[in-house]
């Protein structure tokens, strides 16, 4: 079978939020690019993931001409609640940071990105299989793949791995160059979607002796709830009744009494890990998003880090396309990792603060209670949480 060869300036592996946003931002700078996505469009759009957009992420989408729906359908939140000891403490973003977050599902972000890609007739290959990277340590890198039974070779100036944690890009970096840092948490999150009105107008992060719980939403008719669960659990181990009973138990009575329950329309368990791969560049290969880092969802940072990586990368690739300068590309890994590690720290801190660890002893428990009490009594402590939650500057 003959191999079809194409050329472009930037080959993007992965058509999730990182890859499709990068494609959009490059197109706006006149930088030609092609996206190779392993799954079908429908499959990518079916994934239920993040729900919170940082202030800077919304600004990025608006500036890129992708802000219409997020501004009209997203829910601006000026605070979150921490629940512990049978009570709630509000962290007031508006008062403490003059900024906010927007509740807008990652699925909707993905819809907006694909709609924009359609409008500009962007080049994305869905169901691209056997994606392999070649020559990333030279100046003529290429990606091979098969699609519709045809072998393809895509030659590019740069290859960007936006292929998530399990994609092939990171593995191309030699073992004596790649450094990885990891923390695996001894529990998971069981999440459900239900067509019920959210129990609270703002998110509630609950620390309870039986484990963590989170009350979130997608809109006023669609709630998103999570409870910490064992890694031994499977979604089928949790009937809806068991889920609602456990969630109610972990919430303060004043909240649990208001909870409207109903059948789950989606139920899944996500493991929690902190993971960072360094460097985020090797030769002509650049990594962005989950391909380079994973955070536990406690800090609502995963999607937002993918967006900030892509903002840095689009700027650097645009500079190279315009005048051949590699200044931005040479500093990309350092710039991105500086923000990544601050989000990794915050996500680790929120996870450690709010969850019940199996090996936790009395000392650990008292530390959690002291930290929560400090957040209740200290405006400065709440300001630190708020500053990180709404998003550090990009
Ligand atoms: P993604 O994983 O979204 O996209 C990578 C894309 O690459 C995928 O479409 C994949 O099909 C494609 N790909 C993989 N291998 C390929 C190959 N060989 N060839 C071509 N394409 C390939 N973040 C939050 O902030 N809050 C949350 O609540 C939250 N919940 C999550 C729940 C789950 C189950 C998961 C897995 C993640 C969650 N995240 C959450 C994090 C998530 O939102 C990611 O941070 C975000 O999707 C990152 O986007 P990408 O980097 O584009 O990676
Ligand atoms: C969600 O709505 O899915 C969500 C919100 C906040 C988080 C994690 C997930 O920290």
């Amino acid at each position: 079978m003959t191999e079809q060869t194409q050329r472009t300036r930037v080959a993007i592996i992965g058509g999730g939020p990182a890859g499709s946003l990068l494609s959009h931002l490059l197109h706006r700078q006149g930088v030609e690019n092609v996206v190779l996505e392993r799954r079908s469009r429908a499959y990518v759009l079916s994934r239920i993931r993040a729900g919170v957009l940082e202030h800077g992420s919304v600004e990025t989408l608006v500036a890129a001409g992708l802000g219409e729906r997020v501004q009209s359908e997203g829910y601006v939140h000026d605070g979150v609640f921490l629940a512990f000891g049978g009570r709630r403490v509000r962290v007031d973003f508006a008062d403490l940071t003059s900024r906010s977050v927007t509740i807008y599902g990652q699925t909707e972000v993905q819809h907006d990105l694909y709609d924009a890609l359609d409008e500009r007739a962007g080049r994305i290959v869905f169901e691209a299989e056997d994606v392999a990277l070649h020559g990333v340590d030279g100046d003529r890198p290429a990606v091979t793949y098969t699609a519709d039974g045809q072998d393809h070779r895509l030659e590019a100036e740069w290859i960007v791995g936006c292929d998530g944690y399990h994609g092939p890009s990171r593995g191309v970096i030699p073992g004596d160059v790649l450094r990885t840092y990891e923390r695996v948490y001894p529990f998971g999150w069981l999440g459900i979607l239900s067509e019920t009105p959210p129990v609270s107008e703002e998110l509630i992060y609950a620390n309870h002796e039986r484990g963590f719980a989170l009350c979130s939403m997608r809109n006023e008719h669609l709630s998103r709830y999570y409870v910490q669960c064992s890694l031994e659990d499977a979604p089928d181990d949790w009937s809806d009744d068991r889920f609602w009973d456990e969630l109610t138990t972990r919430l303060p009575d004043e909240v649990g009494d208001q909870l409207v329950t109903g059948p789950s329309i989606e139920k899944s368990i996500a493991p929690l890990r902190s993971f960072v791969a360094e460097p985020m560049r090797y030769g002509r290969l650049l990594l962005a998003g989950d391909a380079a880092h994973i955070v536990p969802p406690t800090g609502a940072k995963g999607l937002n880090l993918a967006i900030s990586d892509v903002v840095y990368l689009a700027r650097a690739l645009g500079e190279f396309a315009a005048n051949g300068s590699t200044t931005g590309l040479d500093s990309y890994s350092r710039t991105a990792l500086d923000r990544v590690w601050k989000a990794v720290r915050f996500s680790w801190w929120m996870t450690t603060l709010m969850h019940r660890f199996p090996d936790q002893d009395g000392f650990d428990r008292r530390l959690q209670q002291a930290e929560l009490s400090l957040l209740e009594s200290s405006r400065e402590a709440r300001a630190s949480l708020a500053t990180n939650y709404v998003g550090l500057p990009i």
Side-chain angles (χ1 to χ4, degrees):
M1 186 183 333
T2 56
E3 184 180 73
Q4 286 194 354
T5 300
Q6 308 157 285
R7 276 197 65 75
T8 187
R9 297 206 76 160
V10 181
I12 301 169
I13 302 175
S20 43
L21 178 59
L22 177 60
S23 176
H24 182 84
L25 296 182
L26 290 176
H27 171 79
R28 286 173 65 90
Q29 299 177 82
V31 181
E32 192 193 56
N33 64 88
V34 178
V35 180
L36 303 178
E37 166 53 49
R38 179 179 61 176
R39 300 287 190 174
S40 69
R41 178 187 182 124
Y43 183 93
V44 176
L45 290 172
S46 71
R47 293 190 298 225
I48 306 292
R49 288 192 173 166
V52 177
L53 291 178
E54 292 176 348
H55 194 95
S57 294
V58 174
E59 287 181 331
T60 296
L61 295 173
V62 170
L66 295 163
E68 185 184 343
R69 286 185 63 220
V70 65
Q71 288 182 307
S72 59
E73 298 175 26
Y75 293 78
V76 175
H77 281 202
D78 288 328
V80 288
F81 287 99
L82 301 178
F84 54 93
R87 62 191 187 278
R88 281 187 297 173
V89 171
R90 185 166 184 267
V91 180
D92 186 336
F93 301 149
D95 172 44
L96 294 163
T97 70
S98 305
R99 303 175 85 189
S100 58
V101 296
T102 298
I103 304 301
Y104 189 71
Q106 176 172 324
T107 310
E108 302 316 312
V109 175
Q110 195 67 66
H111 270 291
D112 296 342
L113 286 164
Y114 282 172
D115 290 349
L117 196 144
D118 292 345
E119 282 165 26
R120 60 183 164 84
R123 293 169 63 193
I124 182 168
V125 178
F126 287 107
E127 298 179 274
E129 296 179 333
D130 310 320
V131 167
L133 294 81
H134 309 275
V136 298
D137 52 353
D139 57 9
R140 288 176 58 81
V143 182
T144 54
Y145 65 97
T146 56
D148 301 327
Q150 173 70 45
D151 289 344
H152 294 267
R153 180 180 180 82
L154 179 62
E155 296 178 349
E157 291 174 319
W158 300 93
I159 297 175
V160 184
C162 297
D163 45 344
Y165 182 73
H166 299 290
S169 296
R170 188 174 67 247
V172 166
I173 300 177
D176 60 347
V177 173
L178 186 71
R179 302 180 302 278
T180 59
Y181 305 85
E182 187 165 34
R183 180 77 90 244
V184 177
Y185 298 92
F187 38 74
W189 278 19
L190 170 68
I192 72 157
L193 267 181
S194 62
E195 289 168 330
T196 55
V199 73
S200 166
E201 287 189 359
E202 292 178 330
L203 273 58
I204 301 175
Y205 288 81
N207 171 304
H208 187 275
E209 59 188 18
R210 289 177 63 87
F212 169 78
L214 170 60
C215 302
S216 183
M217 72 286 290
R218 291 293 177 269
N219 59 51
E220 62 266 32
H221 309 295
L222 193 59
S223 296
R224 180 72 167 160
Y225 293 111
Y226 298 92
V227 294
Q228 173 186 343
C229 67
S230 162
L231 285 173
E232 311 305 314
D233 286 354
D236 289 348
D237 297 331
W238 285 79
S239 68
D240 285 358
D241 286 347
R242 181 186 174 195
F243 180 88
W244 292 120
D245 289 348
E246 193 61 39
L247 177 65
T248 304
T249 302
R250 297 185 187 184
L251 295 172
D253 292 345
E254 55 161 347
V255 178
D257 293 346
Q258 303 299 315
L259 190 62
V260 176
T261 65
S264 59
I265 58 172
E266 193 268 352
K267 189 183 286 179
S268 57
I269 292 180
L272 273 66
R273 78 173 72 240
S274 300
F275 173 83
V276 181
E278 297 183 3
M280 291 173 61
R281 173 188 174 187
Y282 175 71
R284 290 287 178 134
L285 170 65
L286 301 130
L287 301 179
D290 278 17
H293 42 71
I294 296 283
V295 285
T298 328
K301 292 298 166 205
L303 172 60
N304 294 292
L305 279 179
I307 291 173
S308 54
D309 287 351
V310 162
V311 167
Y312 298 139
L313 205 39
R315 216 178 272 160
L317 288 166
E319 177 189 65
F320 177 81
N323 59 39
S325 166
T326 61
T327 304
L329 289 163
D330 295 342
S331 62
Y332 164 68
S333 181
R334 187 175 62 254
T335 304
L337 284 168
D338 178 68
R339 191 172 194 274
V340 163
W341 273 110
K342 288 168 182 169
V344 166
R345 182 214 64 85
F346 176 68
S347 305
W348 164 85
W349 176 78
M350 279 285 279
T351 303
T352 305
L353 175 65
M354 300 306 290
H355 288 75
R356 192 90 173 103
F357 285 69
D359 60 352
Q360 199 166 27
D361 63 15
F363 184 85
D364 298 324
R365 193 80 185 127
R366 288 289 181 274
L367 285 182
Q368 280 188 342
Q369 289 163 352
E371 185 99 54
L372 290 165
S373 174
L374 181 66
L375 284 160
E376 185 172 28
S377 60
S378 163
R379 175 188 168 80
E380 290 73 15
R382 290 194 301 279
S384 175
L385 189 158
T387 301
N388 283 279
Y389 195 93
V390 299
L392 299 176
I394 296 179

